[in-house]
Amino acid sequence: MAINVRSNQGPTVPAQWLRQTPKDIPFDEMRQRLRSDGYVYVKNLLPREEVQSVRKEYNATTSAYFTLYEPTGIIKPGSFLEDGIFNDQNDPLAHGGIGAGELPPTDLQVQTMINAHTQPKYLQLLENPEFRTFVQGLMGWQKEILLTRTMIRHNAPGALSTAVHYDKLFLRKGEAEFLTAWVPIGDTKTTGGGLMYLSDSVLLGREIESDFSKRAKDLSHEERLSAFNVHMEKYGQLSQDASEFGDMHKVDGSRNWLVADYEAGDVVFHDPYIVHASTRNEGGDGRVRVSTDLRFYEEGSDMDDRWMKLWTPGDGL
């Protein structure tokens, strides 16, 4: 049964379900799935309560996401902070998250974006020992390195979501391959702004990147590394229209977008070249989607060291 979702532009996309992977199957089988599918969607990997506490701590401190963001006016007055219900009296385009487009219009919003990356509950989640051990086992690494530049962000109903892209576009420095972990911070329905993946698209991503490299051969070294050089689309994306992009790159008449009803505690690990985007947040419940993007390398590998610093506005990455 097809599930209809949308991206920033274009008509609805008839998507299919992502394949789920139990967290207790052998790592050899998981690695095979990562190679064949380009992703591993692991259910209930992280403790639900620990993930939810990043949205809103039950002891009402200022270290959780919506507690931090409440002064910006993004949350509906009188609602529970943990629910993250958008204040629909606002223009959603003025409450965008990292990577969706331009920075939000007020200094308070921008500073809140910066501060969100150093909150104790968030950092505690990133260091969860079972999570980090899982990454080692999945990749067969002795030791994993989490890049400092993580990206915790939100997607308000009606705002721009993350457009079509693959992650290697933004991490071109270094020869080593990395692993992305996408972590939904709270339950996220298919139409609520979660990630959707284009099936069988790892080779496609590699082909697109190879073409970009050929066209950038006369650029300076720094320009070739940039996801924003003269050969790239605005914001370093491939398209704002998932339907059109999928139709342009069908294989034997078929290549599907894949989605899920994500739950707090789920994690999707994916290949640097798999093509993906966020669905448009129009699920009808008014919830602001929160998630984080994490990138791991094997210790000692040739990694993109530009990302070994915290996200800041205008850092060129």
Side-chain angles (χ1 to χ4, degrees):
M1 181 183 71
I3 311 98
N4 291 321
V5 296
R6 288 201 302 158
S7 57
N8 286 332
Q9 297 176 5
T12 59
V13 177
Q16 303 294 325
W17 294 112
L18 281 167
R19 176 160 65 155
Q20 297 183 9
T21 296
K23 64 181 179 182
D24 54 357
I25 70 170
F27 282 123
D28 285 346
E29 184 175 343
M30 287 193 192
R31 282 192 287 272
Q32 177 56 41
R33 289 189 178 194
L34 183 60
R35 287 191 293 269
S36 63
D37 296 344
Y39 70 89
V40 180
Y41 170 31
V42 184
K43 294 292 297 179
N44 306 311
L45 178 61
L46 293 164
R48 179 180 177 84
E49 296 76 12
E50 187 173 347
V51 174
Q52 291 288 73
S53 72
V54 177
R55 291 177 68 88
K56 166 65 174 69
E57 284 194 76
Y58 296 102
N59 293 328
T61 73
T62 58
S63 70
Y65 198 83
F66 288 128
T67 316
L68 199 66
Y69 262 90
E70 187 178 23
T72 70
I74 193 173
I75 299 301
K76 183 176 182 178
S79 63
F80 292 108
L81 286 181
E82 184 187 350
D83 292 338
I85 304 301
F86 181 62
N87 182 358
D88 58 9
Q89 299 303 304
N90 292 326
D91 176 4
L93 296 179
H95 287 272
I98 301 168
E102 303 293 341
L103 291 171
T106 72
D107 291 342
L108 175 61
Q109 288 172 296
V110 174
Q111 189 59 52
T112 304
M113 278 185 167
I114 297 170
N115 294 345
H117 290 82
T118 56
Q119 297 308 301
K121 282 290 183 179
Y122 175 60
L123 297 178
Q124 179 181 321
L125 180 68
L126 303 188
E127 295 300 328
N128 180 284
E130 289 79 16
F131 178 44
R132 303 295 286 267
T133 299
F134 186 93
V135 171
Q136 292 175 13
L138 174 61
M139 300 304 290
W141 293 340
Q142 290 294 314
K143 176 63 178 175
E144 84 296 344
I145 297 295
L146 171 62
L147 293 183
T148 306
R149 191 184 191 273
T150 68
M151 298 179 73
I152 185 169
R153 51 186 165 186
H154 62 262
N155 181 354
L160 289 176
S161 60
T162 304
V164 179
H165 70 286
Y166 54 87
D167 290 351
K168 185 64 177 177
L169 283 167
F170 303 96
L171 291 97
R172 286 175 164 156
K173 187 178 180 182
E175 296 299 321
E177 300 234 329
F178 57 91
L179 177 72
T180 293
W182 182 76
V183 184
I185 309 296
D187 299 341
T188 306
K189 297 193 300 186
T190 55
T191 54
L195 284 194
M196 58 179 175
Y197 292 87
L198 189 61
S199 65
D200 303 317
S201 63
V202 171
L203 181 58
L204 172 63
R206 289 184 177 276
E207 291 171 347
I208 294 172
E209 182 64 13
S210 177
D211 179 62
F212 282 142
S213 297
K214 290 176 183 175
R215 288 191 281 144
K217 62 182 176 60
D218 294 327
L219 300 180
S220 70
H221 177 68
E222 289 74 18
E223 289 175 314
R224 289 197 301 272
L225 295 179
S226 174
F228 312 104
N229 68 46
V230 296
H231 299 295
M232 312 303 296
E233 298 292 332
K234 191 175 183 181
Y235 310 125
Q237 313 288 3
L238 300 176
S239 174
Q240 297 287 342
D241 187 337
S243 176
E244 179 183 64
F245 186 89
D247 288 343
M248 287 174 55
H249 297 283
K250 286 188 179 298
V251 176
D252 297 327
S254 177
R255 184 178 257 144
N256 298 312
W257 287 100
L258 307 173
V259 296
D261 281 327
Y262 301 105
E263 297 177 300
D266 295 351
V267 180
V268 188
F269 298 96
H270 66 246
D271 185 281
Y273 291 95
I274 192 170
V275 176
H276 57 288
S278 293
T279 66
R280 191 170 179 85
N281 186 350
E282 52 187 10
D285 59 6
R287 285 167 59 92
V288 177
R289 184 216 82 185
V290 182
S291 66
T292 188
D293 295 69
L294 313 174
R295 276 86 186 200
F296 293 95
Y297 282 90
E298 185 174 17
E299 185 178 51
S301 63
D302 183 20
M303 62 186 182
D304 192 334
D305 56 11
R306 300 175 302 168
W307 283 62
M308 290 305 289
K309 58 184 179 180
L310 289 170
W311 176 86
T312 55
D315 63 10
L317 299 175

